[in-house]
């Protein structure tokens, strides 16, 4: 028996669809509070010392958190090549802006406190703001466009041709999902600062986080209603060979109806939006009542619910085409080969636990609040 035949092709496809979701959710849960903290920096910290406190809450962990983003991009490239080709070419300018923001962020961390000039430090503080707020907004806009369908088609040789423009991505529904993403991650950043700081910074973080949480909850509800009533859903017309070749053109796809049909076909997926609402509501309650560790955990549950609700609603679609529905990419016809998925799974089983153990160790070592006294006493070694 060939070793990779131990796991069937269709099961491997589902496993990698789940793993991609895990990586994206892990990124949102970890680097999400980094982005939210950056977006809050100019508003929750008024003095230079307060801003250094905020920066040093995420300074030791942001690099490790960003590993989830790298792993997610790598998983898309290796496990879902057509998805990588279409999304990274169609969303090229948007991705360039995200990468520019991610490049500016580490530079700002390293250089911000190198000079005492207030103008110098203020400029880097706003760079950290952009490095947090811009990706959080653009990721949400991308999700909204994926739900609406992306304007592309595949040639007979499976070459993807993108037919849209950058400005076409900025449609009302996508902007709404962008606001949901930004406000949700600001709430998540506020929950982190609520845990890691004290005094005036903590109080301001709770206030801004409460407002952001309310916007996220309302926006998520409005986006759900909008999607149900005005966004076309996609459905497979013909029976698909779940272990067949990776050729989307072999499938027939219809556009119309509603994504909400998924909830009739798989009623159990209602658990995802319930988790999203419950988690955000409880995080909002924690920010107003003063809870710390539990507030952050509730915020993570909200993110889990919101992100997973998108994937579960769309399954088996991973990137529908708005202009040529039969070119839509699904779990069953857009993956790498059986052998590639198996080898990658073996590598994941070996290295993912190591990453999780190392991450847990880092957080345990760095547990505790960052105070102004810490910054003043270690001014030469902290950010």
């Amino acid at each position: 028996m060939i070793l990779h035949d131990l796991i069937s092709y269709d099961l491997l496809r589902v496993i990698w669809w789940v793993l991609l979701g895990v990586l994206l959710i892990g990124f949102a849960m970890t680097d999400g509070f980094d982005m939210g903290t950056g977006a809050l920096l100019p508003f929750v910290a008024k003095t230079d010392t307060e801003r250094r406190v905020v920066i040093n809450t995420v300074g030791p962990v942001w690099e490790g958190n960003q590993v989830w983003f790298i792993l997610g991009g790598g998983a898309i490239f290796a496990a879902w090549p057509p998805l990588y080709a279409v999304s990274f070419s169609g969303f090229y300018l948007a991705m360039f802006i995200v990468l520019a923001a991610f490049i500016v962020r580490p530079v700002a961390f390293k250089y911000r406190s190198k000079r005492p000039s207030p103008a110098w430090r203020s400029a880097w503080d706003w760079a950290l703001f952009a490095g947090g707020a811009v990706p959080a907004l653009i990721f949400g806009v991308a999700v909204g466009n994926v739900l609406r369908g992306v304007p592309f088609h595949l040639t007979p040789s499976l070459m993807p041709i993108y037919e849209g423009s950058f400005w076409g991505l900025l449609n009302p529904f996508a902007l709404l999902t962008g606001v949901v993403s930004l406000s949700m991650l600001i709430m998540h950043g506020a929950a982190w600062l609520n845990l890691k700081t004290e005094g005036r910074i903590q109080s301001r973080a709770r206030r801004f986080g409460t407002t952001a949480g309310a916007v996220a909850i309302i926006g998520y509800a409005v986006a759900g209603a909008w999607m149900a009533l005005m966004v076309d859903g996609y459905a497979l017309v013909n029976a698909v060979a779940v272990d067949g070749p990776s050729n989307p053109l072999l499938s027939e796809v219809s556009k119309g109806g509603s994504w909400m049909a998924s909830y009739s076909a798989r009623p159990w997926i209602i658990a995802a939006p319930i988790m999203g609402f419950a988690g955000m509501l409880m995080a909002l309650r924690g920010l107003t009542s003063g809870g710390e560790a539990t507030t952050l955990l509730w915020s993570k549950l909200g993110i889990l619910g919101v992100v997973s609700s998108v994937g579960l609603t769309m399954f088996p679609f991973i990137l529908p085409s708005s202009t040529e529905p039969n070119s839509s990419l699904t779990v069953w016809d857009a993956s790498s080969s059986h052998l590639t998925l198996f080898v990658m799974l073996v590598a994941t089983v070996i290295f993912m636990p190591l990453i999780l153990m190392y991450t847990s160790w880092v957080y345990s070592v760095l547990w505790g609040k960052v105070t102004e006294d810490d910054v003043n006493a270690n001014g030469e070694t902290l950010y």
Side-chain angles (χ1 to χ4, degrees):
M1 175 185 290
I2 300 175
L3 192 59
H4 66 266
D5 285 336
L6 293 172
I7 304 178
S8 65
Y9 196 11
D10 58 324
L11 179 57
L12 274 172
R13 283 168 159 166
V14 174
I15 289 173
W16 271 103
W17 175 78
V18 172
L19 284 175
L20 178 59
V22 168
L23 293 173
L24 295 178
I25 292 169
F27 169 65
M29 285 184 175
T30 55
D31 206 39
F33 66 69
D34 295 341
M35 291 186 283
T37 298
L40 284 168
L41 176 62
F43 309 105
V44 299
K46 301 302 182 183
T47 67
D48 182 67
T49 302
E50 287 181 348
R51 292 189 175 187
R52 292 189 72 183
V53 168
V54 172
I55 292 169
N56 280 283
T57 63
V58 298
V61 298
W62 72 267
E63 290 175 293
N65 293 341
Q66 201 157 308
V67 167
W68 292 95
F69 177 69
I70 298 169
L71 291 174
I76 293 174
F77 173 77
W80 311 99
L83 173 62
Y84 184 91
V86 175
S87 58
F88 279 73
S89 59
F91 297 167
Y92 181 81
L93 183 54
M95 289 294 181
F96 180 84
I97 294 172
V98 168
L99 291 176
F102 279 160
I103 291 170
V104 167
R105 185 169 64 170
V107 176
F109 276 123
K110 302 297 184 183
Y111 281 89
R112 189 259 179 203
S113 298
K114 295 297 184 182
R115 295 177 58 185
S117 166
W120 170 271
R121 294 189 174 190
S122 178
W124 288 118
D125 289 340
W126 284 105
L128 287 170
F129 166 79
V134 171
L137 177 66
I138 290 180
F139 286 138
V141 169
V143 169
N145 279 284
V146 170
L147 284 167
R148 292 179 73 248
V150 177
F152 76 95
H153 72 271
L154 299 175
T155 67
S157 60
L158 300 183
M159 177 183 293
I161 305 296
Y162 183 72
E163 301 165 357
S165 67
F166 173 77
W167 300 111
L169 300 176
L170 305 180
N171 55 81
F173 178 73
L175 290 173
L176 173 60
T177 56
V179 169
V180 173
S181 172
L182 176 59
S183 56
M184 180 176 67
L185 294 186
I186 288 176
M187 178 191 70
H188 197 43
W192 174 255
L193 290 175
N194 178 51
L195 175 67
K196 296 290 289 183
T197 64
E198 58 187 19
R200 290 169 296 184
I201 299 174
Q202 185 187 55
S203 178
R204 295 184 194 119
R206 287 174 178 170
R207 186 170 70 251
F208 282 103
T210 299
T211 302
V215 171
I217 293 168
I218 295 170
Y220 184 50
V222 173
W226 191 332
M227 185 180 70
L229 300 174
M230 292 184 285
V231 175
D232 287 334
Y234 293 78
L236 289 167
V237 175
N238 59 330
V240 178
V242 295
D243 58 350
S246 289
N247 185 347
L249 297 180
L250 298 178
S251 302
E252 183 179 353
V253 177
S254 66
K255 176 184 177 183
S258 171
W259 282 119
M260 294 301 150
S262 300
Y263 292 85
S264 298
R266 303 185 301 276
W268 60 270
I269 67 175
I270 192 66
I274 289 174
M275 283 193 298
F277 280 116
M280 289 191 290
L281 284 168
M282 292 301 293
L284 193 63
R285 180 177 180 273
L287 287 169
T288 56
S289 65
E292 294 186 354
T294 54
T295 300
L296 184 64
L297 292 176
W298 282 118
S299 181
K300 288 179 182 290
L301 180 67
I303 290 173
L304 170 63
V306 171
V307 178
S308 61
S309 68
V310 175
L312 290 171
T313 299
M314 292 182 59
F315 184 86
F317 291 92
I318 52 178
L319 192 67
S321 170
S322 59
T323 53
E324 181 54 54
N326 288 342
S327 293
S328 298
L329 308 181
T330 74
V331 171
W332 310 125
D333 55 29
S335 72
S336 292
S337 68
H338 192 170
L339 177 60
T340 299
L341 295 183
F342 180 80
V343 171
M344 288 173 55
L345 181 61
V346 172
T348 301
V349 169
I350 294 171
F351 290 107
M352 183 65 77
L354 297 177
I355 294 173
L356 292 174
M357 286 189 291
Y358 172 75
T359 302
S360 301
W361 176 78
V362 169
Y363 278 94
S364 66
V365 169
L366 299 172
W367 193 255
K369 292 183 179 291
V370 180
T371 67
E372 293 188 34
D373 289 340
D374 294 331
V375 171
N376 292 328
N378 301 279
E380 300 299 320
T381 56
L382 296 180
Y383 286 114

